[in-house]
Amino acid sequence: MSLVAPWDFSIFILILLTFLTCSFSSIFTITNNCHQTIWPGTLSGAGTPSLPTTGFQLEPGQSAKLTSVPGWSGRIWARTGCTFDTTGIGKCQTGDCGGRLECDGNGAAPPTSLFEITLGEGNDQDYYDVSMVDGYNLPLLALPRGVYGASPCNATGCVNDINIGCPKELQVVSGDGYQGDTGVVGCKSACEAFGSDQYCCSGQFANPTICQPSYYSSIFKRACPRAYSYAFDDGTSTFTCKAYEYDIIFCPNSNRNAKPNVTFSPPTPSIRQPYGKFQQISSSSNIILPSQVTIFLFVAVVSAFVAKTWPLI
């Protein structure tokens, strides 16, 4: 029996390694550490599929896991003060997305704290940030976990409560007594509040040299040095990484005990979601990360290939 040609085996290994790197996907673990119920929303960028859900409810202490696909880009945020009927129609005090529980392609109405990310494909890096450009409604921390390679990944976000020190002209005040809350529930950006080109970095100010930090954006920047405070705040606000999972924690500094988690049913498969993605609320200890699955497949296939083609002596 002749040995399998070395170049055949090398090509086989190369194909498997390519599959291993290109099949990588990240998990977003969204945690509600606030003392109030939140309704996270998701919005996919152009050309990328929707996540398994575009809007859902999270009670205090609960977490949700959303699996992405390689190259996914988009936004994740939390809505507050929402009321929905049995058909999912309603409204939210902050972060509303078209008056529906499922956002279905609608973005967040400002003011809203945003997590934004573009996942790299293969070995390409992820680019991520937390943005206050559309204003602020809740503290938010983004923390990469399970990092690829030797390069460290940085946490980012806005963990301080900007609503407490929000200037009156930017305040969004709740007056309906929702859960006893009649205070400030959001802080608008100066662009949203005044609509001028100077604050929005638009028109003749659509240039990073001309559009500089304002008095109002400086309030956001002092409170949250790593978050975007205005449109051209790239230098200190965009981060790169390659991670298995991103923890997205709302109200990270709140002290509370976690509630038991529950599980959502998988979404109905559709043409827009060809990867068999799932969405579940649970702890991370009871799932297999995509990277682990591919490693298991890699080992199993290599073993089978060697057993079939390599001669016994």
Side-chain angles (χ1 to χ4, degrees):
M1 182 181 291
S2 61
L3 291 174
V4 66
W7 62 271
D8 287 339
F9 188 75
S10 299
I11 292 174
F12 178 75
I13 294 298
L14 180 61
I15 292 172
L16 282 177
L17 288 175
T18 301
F19 168 76
L20 181 64
T21 56
C22 291
S23 62
F24 173 83
S25 60
S26 292
I27 295 175
F28 302 123
T29 300
I30 305 170
T31 299
N32 179 13
N33 201 43
C34 304
H35 292 280
Q36 61 177 308
T37 303
I38 63 172
W39 289 261
T42 71
L43 175 66
S44 298
T48 61
S50 297
L51 292 179
T53 179
T54 60
F56 58 98
Q57 180 175 317
L58 268 188
E59 298 295 336
Q62 287 186 335
S63 295
K65 289 185 178 294
L66 305 183
T67 301
S68 65
V69 298
W72 187 85
S73 67
R75 293 175 162 186
I76 297 174
W77 69 95
R79 294 166 287 174
T80 63
C82 301
T83 55
F84 296 105
D85 63 21
T86 55
T87 66
I89 304 297
K91 63 179 181 178
C92 301
Q93 289 179 344
T94 66
D96 193 74
C97 56
R100 300 188 62 90
L101 175 61
E102 289 268 359
C103 295
D104 291 329
N106 293 305
T112 312
S113 311
L114 297 170
F115 171 72
E116 304 175 313
I117 191 167
T118 297
L119 296 173
E121 297 191 65
N123 292 322
D124 294 339
Q125 293 283 295
D126 306 334
Y127 289 83
Y128 61 100
D129 66 78
V130 168
S131 175
M132 306 292 122
V133 174
D134 290 343
Y136 167 100
N137 66 339
L138 286 175
L140 167 60
L141 174 67
L143 179 64
R145 293 202 301 139
V147 176
Y148 271 124
S151 300
C153 289
N154 294 300
T156 186
C158 183
V159 300
N160 291 316
D161 189 353
I162 294 181
N163 289 337
I164 295 175
C166 182
K168 187 172 183 180
E169 57 270 31
L170 305 183
Q171 292 179 2
V172 175
V173 179
S174 167
D176 62 4
Y178 176 79
Q179 293 185 349
D181 183 5
T182 57
V184 179
V185 295
C187 190
K188 296 179 182 179
S189 67
C191 174
E192 174 69 15
F194 308 118
S196 69
D197 288 349
Q198 179 180 356
Y199 289 130
C200 296
C201 294
S202 57
Q204 63 177 329
F205 291 90
N207 183 299
T209 303
I210 300 174
C211 193
Q212 295 294 308
S214 67
Y215 162 75
Y216 293 107
S217 70
S218 297
I219 294 174
F220 287 84
K221 198 63 178 179
R222 285 195 299 270
C224 306
R226 291 193 169 198
Y228 266 88
S229 59
Y230 76 105
F232 294 119
D233 192 12
D234 301 85
T236 59
S237 307
T238 299
F239 299 87
T240 59
C241 186
K242 192 65 178 175
Y244 297 110
E245 187 168 355
Y246 287 86
D247 286 343
I248 304 165
I249 307 169
F250 292 96
C251 307
N253 289 339
S254 296
N255 295 319
R256 60 170 304 101
N257 296 321
K259 286 186 175 181
N261 292 317
V262 298
T263 301
F264 283 171
S265 299
T268 302
S270 66
I271 295 175
R272 290 198 308 158
Q273 298 182 357
Y275 294 88
K277 302 182 295 297
F278 67 94
Q279 189 265 342
Q280 101 183 110
I281 293 184
S282 67
S283 65
S284 60
S285 61
N286 61 1
I287 65 169
I288 299 177
L289 297 181
S291 58
Q292 293 173 303
V293 173
T294 51
I295 290 172
F296 294 156
L297 289 174
F298 177 83
V299 173
V301 175
V302 168
S303 298
F305 181 88
V306 172
K308 183 177 181 180
T309 60
W310 206 263
L312 294 176
I313 297 176

